[in-house]
């Protein structure tokens, strides 16, 4: 699904990513974890073809950068991020926002077919938002907006779904509701590979089989989440003594 081989990314002669290698196989769901400035967003931009590495190789869905049409490739990658959330007009309908995902556009400018509307409605129903289809996007709560944007990202049936800090700004109830829907997506038989980006270990659901720990633009550790998310590894990763508690198959951190 993703093959990144020893890439460097520079900005103003400063390394944003340094010697990063990362492989995601079909059937795996990954979390990317790191503090601010660790390079998480830059790595996502590489995966989406918005940032081209200074050095190293990238293959996404078997297509090698430099030998493929990145605009076409992006249609196979769903993206939910805070930057997209603020792009839509407040008075745009929820159904219109979801339908725009078919064309990877901000706003709906092309004709849609009846089957497209039916698909959008099914996705809204899956995410418990069908009752909002005729509402203005701008009046939704933050949690509702995130679910609508996930429905939009699924509209084109992507092979990879990137969720860039989707719980940012949500209260605990909205966060837990959103995480339940993300777990539902992970269990879909023909669903996409999930790449979930977060600062918070407690958001690493049991469905996320693997984790990538980024620190100051380099790979600190990568592998099975069950092997990495322990007190010793995380204490070294965060440069603080960490206590890890397990509740409902999720890990919760406290500073000692």
């Amino acid at each position: 699904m993703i093959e990144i081989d020893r890439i460097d990314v520079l900005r103003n002669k400063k390394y944003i990513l340094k010697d990063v290698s990362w492989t995601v196989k079909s059937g795996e769901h990954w979390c990317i974890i790191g503090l601010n400035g660790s390079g998480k967003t830059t790595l996502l931009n590489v995966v989406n073809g918005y940032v081209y590495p200074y050095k190293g190789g990238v293959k996404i869905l078997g297509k090698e950068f430099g030998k493929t049409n990145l605009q076409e490739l992006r249609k196979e990658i769903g993206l939910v991020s805070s930057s997209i959330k603020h792009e839509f007009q407040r008075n745009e309908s929820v159904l219109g926002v979801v339908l725009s995902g078919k064309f990877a556009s901000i706003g709906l400018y092309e004709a849609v077919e009846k089957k497209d509307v039916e698909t959008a409605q099914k996705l809204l129903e899956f995410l418990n938002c069908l009752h909002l289809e005729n509402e203005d996007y701008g009046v939704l709560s933050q949690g509702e907006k995130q679910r609508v944007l996930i429905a939009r990202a699924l509209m084109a049936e992507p092979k990879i779904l990137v969720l860039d800090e989707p719980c940012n700004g949500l209260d605990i109830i909205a966060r837990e509701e959103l995480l339940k829907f993300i777990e539902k997506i992970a269990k879909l038989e023909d669903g996409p590979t999930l790449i979930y980006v977060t600062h918070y270990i407690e958001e690493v659901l049991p469905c996320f089989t693997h984790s990538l720990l980024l620190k100051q633009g380099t790979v600190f550790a990568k592998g099975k989440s069950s092997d990495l998310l322990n007190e010793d590894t995380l204490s070294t990763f965060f440069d603080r003594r960490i206590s890890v508690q397990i509740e409902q198959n999720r890990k919760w951190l406290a500073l000692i």
Side-chain angles (χ1 to χ4, degrees), residues 6 13 52 65 80 89 93 128 132 144 155 159 164 173 175 202 204 230 232-233 240-241 243:
R6 302 187 67 176
K13 299 183 180 180
Y52 203 90
F65 279 23
V80 177
Q89 298 294 322
S93 75
N128 197 26
L132 300 172
E144 288 168 342
M155 188 68 195
K159 294 183 173 66
D164 186 5
I173 295 172
R175 182 188 74 176
E202 62 266 27
V204 182
N230 56 64
D232 288 343
T233 302
R240 298 286 191 279
R241 287 188 63 200
S243 169

Side-chain angles (χ1 to χ4, degrees), residues 55-99:
K55 175 185 173 185
V58 179
K59 280 186 182 179
I60 307 296
L61 300 172
K63 298 171 183 175
E64 186 175 351
F65 279 23
K67 299 180 181 179
T68 191
N69 184 325
L70 294 180
Q71 190 170 358
E72 289 300 311
L73 176 62
R74 290 187 196 112
K75 294 178 181 178
E76 299 186 78
I77 304 171
L79 174 63
V80 177
S81 71
S82 57
S83 60
I84 291 175
K85 180 167 62 177
H86 301 296
E87 290 291 328
F88 292 94
Q89 298 294 322
R90 288 183 55 83
N91 62 353
E92 187 155 5
S93 75
V94 164
L95 185 60
V97 170
V98 176
L99 286 167

Side-chain angles (χ1 to χ4, degrees), residues 27-249:
E28 298 175 347
H29 299 302
W30 280 73
C31 273
I32 302 176
I33 301 165
L35 298 176
N36 289 332
S38 61
K40 303 187 302 298
T41 298
T42 300
L43 182 58
L44 290 188
N45 285 335
V46 170
V47 171
N48 282 283
Y50 293 116
V51 169
Y52 203 90
Y54 169 76
K55 175 185 173 185
V58 179
K59 280 186 182 179
I60 307 296
L61 300 172
K63 298 171 183 175
E64 186 175 351
F65 279 23
K67 299 180 181 179
T68 191
N69 184 325
L70 294 180
Q71 190 170 358
E72 289 300 311
L73 176 62
R74 290 187 196 112
K75 294 178 181 178
E76 299 186 78
I77 304 171
L79 174 63
V80 177
S81 71
S82 57
S83 60
I84 291 175
K85 180 167 62 177
H86 301 296
E87 290 291 328
F88 292 94
Q89 298 294 322
R90 288 183 55 83
N91 62 353
E92 187 155 5
S93 75
V94 164
L95 185 60
V97 170
V98 176
L99 286 167
S100 73
K102 179 183 177 182
F103 310 103
S105 62
I106 302 298
L108 189 60
Y109 306 104
E110 301 184 47
V112 294
E113 301 176 10
K114 182 180 178 182
K115 66 178 182 179
D116 297 326
V117 174
E118 291 172 351
T119 298
Q121 290 172 329
K122 286 178 182 177
L123 288 169
L124 286 169
E125 185 175 21
F126 177 75
L127 289 157
N128 197 26
C129 289
L130 184 56
H131 61 290
L132 300 172
E133 65 174 318
N134 295 315
E135 295 284 349
D136 288 349
Y137 173 77
V139 305
L140 303 185
S141 69
Q142 293 301 312
E144 288 168 342
K145 284 180 179 177
Q146 289 295 70
R147 281 185 276 153
V148 167
L149 291 179
I150 291 172
R152 175 185 179 272
L154 292 171
M155 188 68 195
E157 299 182 351
K159 294 183 173 66
I160 297 172
L161 176 61
V162 177
L163 301 162
D164 186 5
E165 299 184 27
C167 294
N168 231 6
L170 301 186
D171 60 45
I172 187 169
I173 295 172
R175 182 188 74 176
E176 292 304 307
E177 287 179 347
L178 185 64
L179 290 173
K180 285 179 182 177
F181 288 113
I182 290 170
E183 199 154 32
K184 279 179 66 177
I185 295 168
K187 292 177 180 177
L188 291 173
E189 189 172 339
D190 297 318
T193 291
L194 299 183
I195 307 297
Y196 186 98
V197 179
T198 184
H199 295 109
Y200 303 108
I201 302 298
E202 62 266 27
E203 293 177 13
V204 182
L205 300 167
C207 63
F208 292 116
T209 55
H210 293 71
S211 291
L212 173 71
L213 306 186
L214 278 182
K215 185 173 184 177
Q216 297 176 348
T218 64
V219 175
F220 176 84
K222 58 187 174 184
K224 291 185 177 180
S225 300
S226 56
D227 295 336
L228 294 184
L229 305 184
N230 56 64
E231 291 183 352
D232 288 343
T233 302
L234 293 174
S235 293
T236 306
F237 179 58
F238 288 118
D239 296 316
R240 298 286 191 279
R241 287 188 63 200
I242 298 290
S243 169
V244 176
Q245 304 295 324
I246 299 175
E247 182 73 33
Q248 297 180 333
N249 284 329

Side-chain angles (χ1 to χ4, degrees), residues 1-5 7 22-24 57-62:
M1 304 299 286
I2 297 174
E3 296 177 67
I4 290 177
D5 182 28
I7 64 167
W22 179 39
T23 300
V24 176
V58 179
K59 280 186 182 179
I60 307 296
L61 300 172

